[in-house]
mmCIF file of all heavy atoms in Angstrom:
data_model
loop_
_atom_site.group_PDB
_atom_site.id
_atom_site.type_symbol
_atom_site.label_atom_id
_atom_site.label_comp_id
_atom_site.label_asym_id
_atom_site.label_seq_id
_atom_site.Cartn_x
_atom_site.Cartn_y
_atom_site.Cartn_z
ATOM 1 N N ASP A 226 68.289 -49.507 60.525
ATOM 2 C CA ASP A 226 68.855 -48.540 59.577
ATOM 3 C C ASP A 226 70.318 -48.240 59.873
ATOM 4 O O ASP A 226 71.011 -47.652 59.033
ATOM 5 C CB ASP A 226 68.044 -47.233 59.621
ATOM 6 C CG ASP A 226 66.637 -47.402 59.073
ATOM 7 O OD1 ASP A 226 66.409 -48.405 58.367
ATOM 8 O OD2 ASP A 226 65.776 -46.554 59.366
ATOM 9 N N THR A 227 70.779 -48.613 61.052
ATOM 10 C CA THR A 227 72.185 -48.371 61.411
ATOM 11 C C THR A 227 73.124 -49.235 60.583
ATOM 12 O O THR A 227 74.215 -48.796 60.189
ATOM 13 C CB THR A 227 72.401 -48.668 62.916
ATOM 14 O OG1 THR A 227 71.537 -47.830 63.678
ATOM 15 C CG2 THR A 227 73.851 -48.429 63.324
ATOM 16 N N TYR A 228 72.700 -50.468 60.293
ATOM 17 C CA TYR A 228 73.584 -51.459 59.658
ATOM 18 C C TYR A 228 73.461 -51.332 58.141
ATOM 19 O O TYR A 228 72.912 -52.194 57.464
ATOM 20 C CB TYR A 228 73.231 -52.854 60.158
ATOM 21 C CG TYR A 228 73.245 -52.942 61.674
ATOM 22 C CD1 TYR A 228 72.099 -52.651 62.420
ATOM 23 C CD2 TYR A 228 74.406 -53.274 62.366
ATOM 24 C CE1 TYR A 228 72.108 -52.698 63.807
ATOM 25 C CE2 TYR A 228 74.430 -53.333 63.754
ATOM 26 C CZ TYR A 228 73.278 -53.042 64.464
ATOM 27 O OH TYR A 228 73.299 -53.093 65.840
ATOM 28 N N THR A 229 73.992 -50.249 57.621
ATOM 29 C CA THR A 229 73.717 -49.832 56.239
ATOM 30 C C THR A 229 74.309 -50.751 55.176
ATOM 31 O O THR A 229 73.878 -50.711 54.043
ATOM 32 C CB THR A 229 74.237 -48.421 56.008
ATOM 33 O OG1 THR A 229 75.624 -48.366 56.408
ATOM 34 C CG2 THR A 229 73.458 -47.404 56.807
ATOM 35 N N LEU A 230 75.300 -51.565 55.535
ATOM 36 C CA LEU A 230 75.910 -52.454 54.543
ATOM 37 C C LEU A 230 75.726 -53.924 54.907
ATOM 38 O O LEU A 230 76.454 -54.780 54.412
ATOM 39 C CB LEU A 230 77.403 -52.127 54.367
ATOM 40 C CG LEU A 230 77.708 -50.769 53.728
ATOM 41 C CD1 LEU A 230 79.197 -50.550 53.598
ATOM 42 C CD2 LEU A 230 77.039 -50.640 52.365
ATOM 43 N N SER A 231 74.751 -54.209 55.767
ATOM 44 C CA SER A 231 74.405 -55.611 56.000
ATOM 45 C C SER A 231 73.768 -56.167 54.739
ATOM 46 O O SER A 231 73.351 -55.416 53.847
ATOM 47 C CB SER A 231 73.443 -55.740 57.184
ATOM 48 O OG SER A 231 72.176 -55.176 56.834
ATOM 49 N N ALA A 232 73.656 -57.476 54.667
ATOM 50 C CA ALA A 232 73.062 -58.093 53.476
ATOM 51 C C ALA A 232 71.625 -57.609 53.271
ATOM 52 O O ALA A 232 71.207 -57.328 52.148
ATOM 53 C CB ALA A 232 73.103 -59.612 53.606
ATOM 54 N N ASP A 233 70.854 -57.513 54.361
ATOM 55 C CA ASP A 233 69.464 -57.056 54.241
ATOM 56 C C ASP A 233 69.391 -55.610 53.748
ATOM 57 O O ASP A 233 68.544 -55.268 52.923
ATOM 58 C CB ASP A 233 68.753 -57.174 55.593
ATOM 59 C CG ASP A 233 68.436 -58.611 55.959
ATOM 60 O OD1 ASP A 233 68.492 -59.475 55.061
ATOM 61 O OD2 ASP A 233 68.143 -58.876 57.139
ATOM 62 N N ALA A 234 70.294 -54.753 54.277
ATOM 63 C CA ALA A 234 70.270 -53.344 53.877
ATOM 64 C C ALA A 234 70.680 -53.180 52.423
ATOM 65 O O ALA A 234 70.091 -52.381 51.677
ATOM 66 C CB ALA A 234 71.201 -52.536 54.785
ATOM 67 N N ARG A 235 71.677 -53.924 51.993
ATOM 68 C CA ARG A 235 72.114 -53.830 50.595
ATOM 69 C C ARG A 235 71.044 -54.359 49.662
ATOM 70 O O ARG A 235 70.808 -53.810 48.576
ATOM 71 C CB ARG A 235 73.432 -54.588 50.400
ATOM 72 C CG ARG A 235 74.630 -53.860 50.992
ATOM 73 C CD ARG A 235 75.954 -54.585 50.740
ATOM 74 N NE ARG A 235 76.147 -55.689 51.649
ATOM 75 C CZ ARG A 235 76.170 -56.968 51.310
ATOM 76 N NH1 ARG A 235 75.986 -57.319 50.043
ATOM 77 N NH2 ARG A 235 76.371 -57.917 52.217
ATOM 78 N N LEU A 236 70.358 -55.432 50.088
ATOM 79 C CA LEU A 236 69.272 -55.970 49.269
ATOM 80 C C LEU A 236 68.135 -54.958 49.159
ATOM 81 O O LEU A 236 67.627 -54.707 48.051
ATOM 82 C CB LEU A 236 68.763 -57.272 49.886
ATOM 83 C CG LEU A 236 67.538 -57.908 49.219
ATOM 84 C CD1 LEU A 236 67.838 -58.241 47.762
ATOM 85 C CD2 LEU A 236 67.086 -59.144 49.975
ATOM 86 N N ALA A 237 67.722 -54.374 50.279
ATOM 87 C CA ALA A 237 66.624 -53.403 50.251
ATOM 88 C C ALA A 237 66.978 -52.209 49.381
ATOM 89 O O ALA A 237 66.149 -51.706 48.613
ATOM 90 C CB ALA A 237 66.297 -52.960 51.675
ATOM 91 N N ASP A 238 68.224 -51.745 49.487
ATOM 92 C CA ASP A 238 68.649 -50.602 48.686
ATOM 93 C C ASP A 238 68.572 -50.920 47.194
ATOM 94 O O ASP A 238 68.096 -50.114 46.391
ATOM 95 C CB ASP A 238 70.077 -50.211 49.067
ATOM 96 C CG ASP A 238 70.594 -49.033 48.257
ATOM 97 O OD1 ASP A 238 70.053 -47.934 48.408
ATOM 98 O OD2 ASP A 238 71.527 -49.227 47.448
ATOM 99 N N ASN A 239 69.000 -52.110 46.836
ATOM 100 C CA ASN A 239 68.989 -52.494 45.426
ATOM 101 C C ASN A 239 67.567 -52.736 44.930
ATOM 102 O O ASN A 239 67.182 -52.290 43.850
ATOM 103 C CB ASN A 239 69.840 -53.744 45.222
ATOM 104 C CG ASN A 239 70.101 -54.035 43.761
ATOM 105 O OD1 ASN A 239 70.106 -53.132 42.930
ATOM 106 N ND2 ASN A 239 70.295 -55.298 43.432
ATOM 107 N N GLN A 240 66.751 -53.418 45.724
ATOM 108 C CA GLN A 240 65.380 -53.712 45.301
ATOM 109 C C GLN A 240 64.546 -52.441 45.137
ATOM 110 O O GLN A 240 63.657 -52.400 44.294
ATOM 111 C CB GLN A 240 64.710 -54.629 46.329
ATOM 112 C CG GLN A 240 65.222 -56.057 46.298
ATOM 113 C CD GLN A 240 64.478 -56.939 47.287
ATOM 114 O OE1 GLN A 240 64.017 -56.477 48.327
ATOM 115 N NE2 GLN A 240 64.356 -58.216 46.972
ATOM 116 N N ASN A 241 64.834 -51.422 45.926
ATOM 117 C CA ASN A 241 64.025 -50.196 45.897
ATOM 118 C C ASN A 241 64.615 -49.099 45.028
ATOM 119 O O ASN A 241 64.026 -48.018 44.908
ATOM 120 C CB ASN A 241 63.850 -49.666 47.324
ATOM 121 C CG ASN A 241 63.029 -50.612 48.179
ATOM 122 O OD1 ASN A 241 62.050 -51.188 47.717
ATOM 123 N ND2 ASN A 241 63.435 -50.802 49.425
ATOM 124 N N ARG A 242 65.774 -49.356 44.429
ATOM 125 C CA ARG A 242 66.387 -48.334 43.572
ATOM 126 C C ARG A 242 65.532 -48.130 42.329
ATOM 127 O O ARG A 242 65.217 -49.073 41.608
ATOM 128 C CB ARG A 242 67.806 -48.778 43.192
ATOM 129 C CG ARG A 242 68.566 -47.747 42.377
ATOM 130 C CD ARG A 242 70.012 -48.193 42.208
ATOM 131 N NE ARG A 242 70.693 -48.223 43.491
ATOM 132 C CZ ARG A 242 71.851 -48.844 43.699
ATOM 133 N NH1 ARG A 242 72.412 -49.508 42.719
ATOM 134 N NH2 ARG A 242 72.423 -48.800 44.877
ATOM 135 N N GLN A 243 65.151 -46.901 42.075
ATOM 136 C CA GLN A 243 64.233 -46.594 40.976
ATOM 137 C C GLN A 243 64.852 -46.948 39.624
ATOM 138 O O GLN A 243 66.013 -46.653 39.363
ATOM 139 C CB GLN A 243 63.866 -45.116 41.000
ATOM 140 C CG GLN A 243 62.782 -44.738 40.007
ATOM 141 C CD GLN A 243 61.446 -45.410 40.314
ATOM 142 O OE1 GLN A 243 61.008 -45.431 41.461
ATOM 143 N NE2 GLN A 243 60.805 -45.976 39.309
ATOM 144 N N ARG A 244 64.077 -47.618 38.775
ATOM 145 C CA ARG A 244 64.476 -47.919 37.396
ATOM 146 C C ARG A 244 63.569 -47.137 36.458
ATOM 147 O O ARG A 244 62.342 -47.287 36.524
ATOM 148 C CB ARG A 244 64.362 -49.416 37.080
ATOM 149 C CG ARG A 244 65.595 -50.237 37.430
ATOM 150 C CD ARG A 244 65.687 -50.620 38.879
ATOM 151 N NE ARG A 244 66.886 -51.398 39.160
ATOM 152 C CZ ARG A 244 67.199 -51.860 40.366
ATOM 153 N NH1 ARG A 244 66.417 -51.611 41.390
ATOM 154 N NH2 ARG A 244 68.310 -52.553 40.546
ATOM 155 N N ASP A 245 64.161 -46.323 35.614
ATOM 156 C CA ASP A 245 63.378 -45.461 34.729
ATOM 157 C C ASP A 245 62.428 -46.268 33.859
ATOM 158 O O ASP A 245 62.812 -47.287 33.267
ATOM 159 C CB ASP A 245 64.310 -44.643 33.837
ATOM 160 C CG ASP A 245 65.070 -43.585 34.621
ATOM 161 O OD1 ASP A 245 64.647 -43.269 35.752
ATOM 162 O OD2 ASP A 245 66.100 -43.087 34.105
ATOM 163 N N GLY A 246 61.178 -45.804 33.787
ATOM 164 C CA GLY A 246 60.194 -46.428 32.908
ATOM 165 C C GLY A 246 59.645 -47.732 33.432
ATOM 166 O O GLY A 246 58.945 -48.457 32.718
ATOM 167 N N ARG A 247 59.927 -48.055 34.698
ATOM 168 C CA ARG A 247 59.459 -49.320 35.255
ATOM 169 C C ARG A 247 58.752 -49.083 36.591
ATOM 170 O O ARG A 247 59.009 -48.098 37.272
ATOM 171 C CB ARG A 247 60.612 -50.304 35.450
ATOM 172 C CG ARG A 247 61.238 -50.785 34.144
ATOM 173 C CD ARG A 247 62.447 -51.671 34.425
ATOM 174 N NE ARG A 247 63.095 -52.123 33.201
ATOM 175 C CZ ARG A 247 62.860 -53.272 32.605
ATOM 176 N NH1 ARG A 247 61.977 -54.107 33.121
ATOM 177 N NH2 ARG A 247 63.498 -53.612 31.501
ATOM 178 N N GLN A 248 57.866 -50.007 36.921
ATOM 179 C CA GLN A 248 57.166 -49.973 38.197
ATOM 180 C C GLN A 248 57.538 -51.215 38.985
ATOM 181 O O GLN A 248 57.643 -52.318 38.446
ATOM 182 C CB GLN A 248 55.651 -49.945 37.984
ATOM 183 C CG GLN A 248 55.140 -48.662 37.353
ATOM 184 C CD GLN A 248 55.159 -47.495 38.327
ATOM 185 O OE1 GLN A 248 55.174 -47.701 39.537
ATOM 186 N NE2 GLN A 248 55.152 -46.285 37.796
ATOM 187 N N LYS A 249 57.727 -51.040 40.283
ATOM 188 C CA LYS A 249 58.107 -52.172 41.128
ATOM 189 C C LYS A 249 56.892 -52.981 41.555
ATOM 190 O O LYS A 249 55.881 -52.442 41.968
ATOM 191 C CB LYS A 249 58.856 -51.678 42.371
ATOM 192 C CG LYS A 249 59.301 -52.811 43.295
ATOM 193 C CD LYS A 249 59.878 -52.266 44.581
ATOM 194 C CE LYS A 249 60.072 -53.405 45.573
ATOM 195 N NZ LYS A 249 60.466 -52.926 46.899
ATOM 196 N N VAL A 250 57.025 -54.282 41.422
ATOM 197 C CA VAL A 250 56.041 -55.226 41.939
ATOM 198 C C VAL A 250 56.788 -56.207 42.814
ATOM 199 O O VAL A 250 57.898 -56.623 42.478
ATOM 200 C CB VAL A 250 55.333 -55.989 40.793
ATOM 201 C CG1 VAL A 250 54.347 -56.995 41.353
ATOM 202 C CG2 VAL A 250 54.655 -55.034 39.842
ATOM 203 N N THR A 251 56.225 -56.574 43.951
ATOM 204 C CA THR A 251 56.845 -57.562 44.822
ATOM 205 C C THR A 251 56.201 -58.920 44.584
ATOM 206 O O THR A 251 54.980 -59.055 44.676
ATOM 207 C CB THR A 251 56.703 -57.169 46.299
ATOM 208 O OG1 THR A 251 57.336 -55.906 46.502
ATOM 209 C CG2 THR A 251 57.375 -58.203 47.196
ATOM 210 N N HIS A 252 57.032 -59.878 44.254
ATOM 211 C CA HIS A 252 56.544 -61.241 44.014
ATOM 212 C C HIS A 252 56.948 -62.113 45.194
ATOM 213 O O HIS A 252 58.120 -62.195 45.547
ATOM 214 C CB HIS A 252 57.153 -61.808 42.727
ATOM 215 C CG HIS A 252 56.729 -63.229 42.442
ATOM 216 N ND1 HIS A 252 55.668 -63.526 41.639
ATOM 217 C CD2 HIS A 252 57.233 -64.413 42.871
ATOM 218 C CE1 HIS A 252 55.527 -64.848 41.567
ATOM 219 N NE2 HIS A 252 56.475 -65.401 42.317
ATOM 220 N N ARG A 253 55.977 -62.775 45.799
ATOM 221 C CA ARG A 253 56.244 -63.691 46.894
ATOM 222 C C ARG A 253 56.416 -65.103 46.317
ATOM 223 O O ARG A 253 55.509 -65.639 45.669
ATOM 224 C CB ARG A 253 55.102 -63.659 47.904
ATOM 225 C CG ARG A 253 55.366 -64.378 49.202
ATOM 226 C CD ARG A 253 56.280 -63.601 50.106
ATOM 227 N NE ARG A 253 55.696 -62.334 50.515
ATOM 228 C CZ ARG A 253 54.933 -62.179 51.592
ATOM 229 N NH1 ARG A 253 54.641 -63.204 52.354
ATOM 230 N NH2 ARG A 253 54.447 -60.995 51.895
ATOM 231 N N VAL A 254 57.558 -65.688 46.534
ATOM 232 C CA VAL A 254 57.882 -66.989 45.933
ATOM 233 C C VAL A 254 56.999 -68.085 46.514
ATOM 234 O O VAL A 254 56.797 -68.169 47.731
ATOM 235 C CB VAL A 254 59.378 -67.336 46.183
ATOM 236 C CG1 VAL A 254 59.689 -68.741 45.675
ATOM 237 C CG2 VAL A 254 60.274 -66.303 45.502
ATOM 238 N N ARG A 255 56.456 -68.910 45.627
ATOM 239 C CA ARG A 255 55.637 -70.045 46.051
ATOM 240 C C ARG A 255 56.294 -71.336 45.572
ATOM 241 O O ARG A 255 57.240 -71.330 44.789
ATOM 242 C CB ARG A 255 54.222 -69.923 45.504
ATOM 243 C CG ARG A 255 54.117 -69.859 43.996
ATOM 244 C CD ARG A 255 52.652 -69.724 43.570
ATOM 245 N NE ARG A 255 52.528 -69.728 42.121
ATOM 246 C CZ ARG A 255 52.526 -68.637 41.368
ATOM 247 N NH1 ARG A 255 52.678 -67.447 41.937
ATOM 248 N NH2 ARG A 255 52.393 -68.711 40.067
ATOM 249 N N SER A 256 55.777 -72.436 46.040
ATOM 250 C CA SER A 256 56.344 -73.738 45.706
ATOM 251 C C SER A 256 56.392 -73.928 44.189
ATOM 252 O O SER A 256 55.415 -73.667 43.492
ATOM 253 C CB SER A 256 55.486 -74.846 46.343
ATOM 254 O OG SER A 256 56.007 -76.115 46.017
ATOM 255 N N GLY A 257 57.527 -74.374 43.682
ATOM 256 C CA GLY A 257 57.685 -74.636 42.257
ATOM 257 C C GLY A 257 58.202 -73.469 41.452
ATOM 258 O O GLY A 257 58.547 -73.614 40.281
ATOM 259 N N ASP A 258 58.261 -72.270 42.049
ATOM 260 C CA ASP A 258 58.734 -71.086 41.328
ATOM 261 C C ASP A 258 60.221 -71.227 40.982
ATOM 262 O O ASP A 258 61.009 -71.774 41.753
ATOM 263 C CB ASP A 258 58.569 -69.823 42.183
ATOM 264 C CG ASP A 258 57.228 -69.155 41.963
ATOM 265 O OD1 ASP A 258 56.499 -69.562 41.051
ATOM 266 O OD2 ASP A 258 56.898 -68.217 42.721
ATOM 267 N N THR A 259 60.597 -70.704 39.825
ATOM 268 C CA THR A 259 62.004 -70.531 39.452
ATOM 269 C C THR A 259 62.163 -69.105 38.932
ATOM 270 O O THR A 259 61.179 -68.458 38.548
ATOM 271 C CB THR A 259 62.437 -71.522 38.355
ATOM 272 O OG1 THR A 259 61.730 -71.198 37.132
ATOM 273 C CG2 THR A 259 62.158 -72.952 38.740
ATOM 274 N N LEU A 260 63.388 -68.618 38.908
ATOM 275 C CA LEU A 260 63.623 -67.278 38.360
ATOM 276 C C LEU A 260 63.162 -67.206 36.914
ATOM 277 O O LEU A 260 62.633 -66.191 36.466
ATOM 278 C CB LEU A 260 65.111 -66.920 38.479
ATOM 279 C CG LEU A 260 65.600 -66.527 39.878
ATOM 280 C CD1 LEU A 260 67.106 -66.336 39.866
ATOM 281 C CD2 LEU A 260 64.914 -65.266 40.374
ATOM 282 N N TRP A 261 63.374 -68.281 36.183
ATOM 283 C CA TRP A 261 62.970 -68.294 34.764
ATOM 284 C C TRP A 261 61.450 -68.158 34.650
ATOM 285 O O TRP A 261 60.949 -67.360 33.854
ATOM 286 C CB TRP A 261 63.439 -69.577 34.101
ATOM 287 C CG TRP A 261 63.222 -69.581 32.613
ATOM 288 C CD1 TRP A 261 64.046 -69.076 31.654
ATOM 289 C CD2 TRP A 261 62.092 -70.126 31.913
ATOM 290 N NE1 TRP A 261 63.514 -69.251 30.408
ATOM 291 C CE2 TRP A 261 62.316 -69.898 30.522
ATOM 292 C CE3 TRP A 261 60.935 -70.774 32.306
ATOM 293 C CZ2 TRP A 261 61.407 -70.303 29.552
ATOM 294 C CZ3 TRP A 261 60.026 -71.177 31.337
ATOM 295 C CH2 TRP A 261 60.274 -70.939 29.975
ATOM 296 N N ASP A 262 60.702 -68.923 35.467
ATOM 297 C CA ASP A 262 59.236 -68.843 35.426
ATOM 298 C C ASP A 262 58.752 -67.443 35.787
ATOM 299 O O ASP A 262 57.860 -66.881 35.142
ATOM 300 C CB ASP A 262 58.624 -69.857 36.403
ATOM 301 C CG ASP A 262 58.853 -71.293 35.962
ATOM 302 O OD1 ASP A 262 58.969 -71.524 34.750
ATOM 303 O OD2 ASP A 262 58.937 -72.170 36.839
ATOM 304 N N ILE A 263 59.340 -66.882 36.835
ATOM 305 C CA ILE A 263 58.904 -65.558 37.294
ATOM 306 C C ILE A 263 59.224 -64.499 36.241
ATOM 307 O O ILE A 263 58.415 -63.601 35.979
ATOM 308 C CB ILE A 263 59.581 -65.222 38.640
ATOM 309 C CG1 ILE A 263 59.123 -66.218 39.712
ATOM 310 C CG2 ILE A 263 59.250 -63.793 39.077
ATOM 311 C CD1 ILE A 263 59.935 -66.166 40.994
ATOM 312 N N SER A 264 60.396 -64.614 35.620
ATOM 313 C CA SER A 264 60.753 -63.644 34.586
ATOM 314 C C SER A 264 59.782 -63.704 33.418
ATOM 315 O O SER A 264 59.429 -62.680 32.827
ATOM 316 C CB SER A 264 62.184 -63.892 34.098
ATOM 317 O OG SER A 264 62.286 -65.091 33.340
ATOM 318 N N ARG A 265 59.298 -64.909 33.091
ATOM 319 C CA ARG A 265 58.309 -65.051 32.018
ATOM 320 C C ARG A 265 56.980 -64.427 32.428
ATOM 321 O O ARG A 265 56.295 -63.808 31.603
ATOM 322 C CB ARG A 265 58.115 -66.537 31.695
ATOM 323 C CG ARG A 265 59.302 -67.197 31.023
ATOM 324 C CD ARG A 265 59.474 -66.706 29.587
ATOM 325 N NE ARG A 265 58.335 -67.056 28.750
ATOM 326 C CZ ARG A 265 58.225 -68.210 28.086
ATOM 327 N NH1 ARG A 265 59.197 -69.106 28.154
ATOM 328 N NH2 ARG A 265 57.157 -68.458 27.341
ATOM 329 N N GLN A 266 56.591 -64.574 33.687
ATOM 330 C CA GLN A 266 55.327 -63.997 34.156
ATOM 331 C C GLN A 266 55.294 -62.485 33.951
ATOM 332 O O GLN A 266 54.282 -61.923 33.559
ATOM 333 C CB GLN A 266 55.133 -64.292 35.649
ATOM 334 C CG GLN A 266 54.644 -65.675 35.973
ATOM 335 C CD GLN A 266 54.374 -65.818 37.460
ATOM 336 O OE1 GLN A 266 54.091 -64.835 38.136
ATOM 337 N NE2 GLN A 266 54.465 -67.036 37.965
ATOM 338 N N TYR A 267 56.423 -61.849 34.246
ATOM 339 C CA TYR A 267 56.453 -60.388 34.220
ATOM 340 C C TYR A 267 57.112 -59.823 32.956
ATOM 341 O O TYR A 267 57.293 -58.621 32.842
ATOM 342 C CB TYR A 267 57.201 -59.867 35.451
ATOM 343 C CG TYR A 267 56.516 -60.203 36.756
ATOM 344 C CD1 TYR A 267 56.885 -61.324 37.484
ATOM 345 C CD2 TYR A 267 55.491 -59.414 37.252
ATOM 346 C CE1 TYR A 267 56.274 -61.647 38.682
ATOM 347 C CE2 TYR A 267 54.862 -59.720 38.441
ATOM 348 C CZ TYR A 267 55.254 -60.841 39.153
ATOM 349 O OH TYR A 267 54.635 -61.150 40.343
ATOM 350 N N ASN A 268 57.492 -60.724 32.053
ATOM 351 C CA ASN A 268 58.112 -60.298 30.797
ATOM 352 C C ASN A 268 59.380 -59.468 31.032
ATOM 353 O O ASN A 268 59.567 -58.376 30.482
ATOM 354 C CB ASN A 268 57.110 -59.494 29.950
ATOM 355 C CG ASN A 268 57.583 -59.337 28.504
ATOM 356 O OD1 ASN A 268 58.313 -60.198 27.980
ATOM 357 N ND2 ASN A 268 57.190 -58.262 27.865
ATOM 358 N N VAL A 269 60.252 -59.995 31.900
ATOM 359 C CA VAL A 269 61.560 -59.367 32.146
ATOM 360 C C VAL A 269 62.627 -60.435 31.934
ATOM 361 O O VAL A 269 62.336 -61.634 31.839
ATOM 362 C CB VAL A 269 61.654 -58.794 33.576
ATOM 363 C CG1 VAL A 269 60.625 -57.693 33.781
ATOM 364 C CG2 VAL A 269 61.494 -59.887 34.634
ATOM 365 N N GLY A 270 63.873 -60.009 31.863
ATOM 366 C CA GLY A 270 64.967 -60.953 31.683
ATOM 367 C C GLY A 270 65.350 -61.654 32.976
ATOM 368 O O GLY A 270 65.229 -61.084 34.067
ATOM 369 N N VAL A 271 65.828 -62.884 32.853
ATOM 370 C CA VAL A 271 66.249 -63.638 34.033
ATOM 371 C C VAL A 271 67.425 -62.941 34.724
ATOM 372 O O VAL A 271 67.456 -62.810 35.956
ATOM 373 C CB VAL A 271 66.642 -65.089 33.658
ATOM 374 C CG1 VAL A 271 67.199 -65.827 34.868
ATOM 375 C CG2 VAL A 271 65.439 -65.842 33.112
#
């Protein structure tokens, strides 16, 4: 938690930032996944 602007800390902050009207789901990438495929799965924009 000390390294507040490291890449990992900035990523965690952005991933966990609340978005109104939305619920967070964590997707674990598997072989063959693309951002386009994942966006279609969850009905969100790429």
Side-chain angles (χ1 to χ4, degrees):
D226 292 342
T227 301
Y228 306 88
T229 53
L230 292 180
S231 68
D233 287 344
R235 286 183 281 114
L236 175 60
D238 179 66
N239 192 27
Q240 287 183 330
N241 294 320
R242 184 173 295 165
Q243 187 64 46
R244 273 81 180 180
D245 290 342
R247 293 176 182 265
Q248 293 287 339
K249 180 187 170 188
V250 178
T251 300
H252 178 94
R253 190 76 63 89
V254 175
R255 59 181 183 267
S256 179
D258 270 351
T259 67
L260 284 174
W261 187 86
D262 292 332
I263 296 168
S264 70
R265 290 289 297 272
Q266 281 185 26
Y267 296 95
N268 194 28
V269 297
V271 175

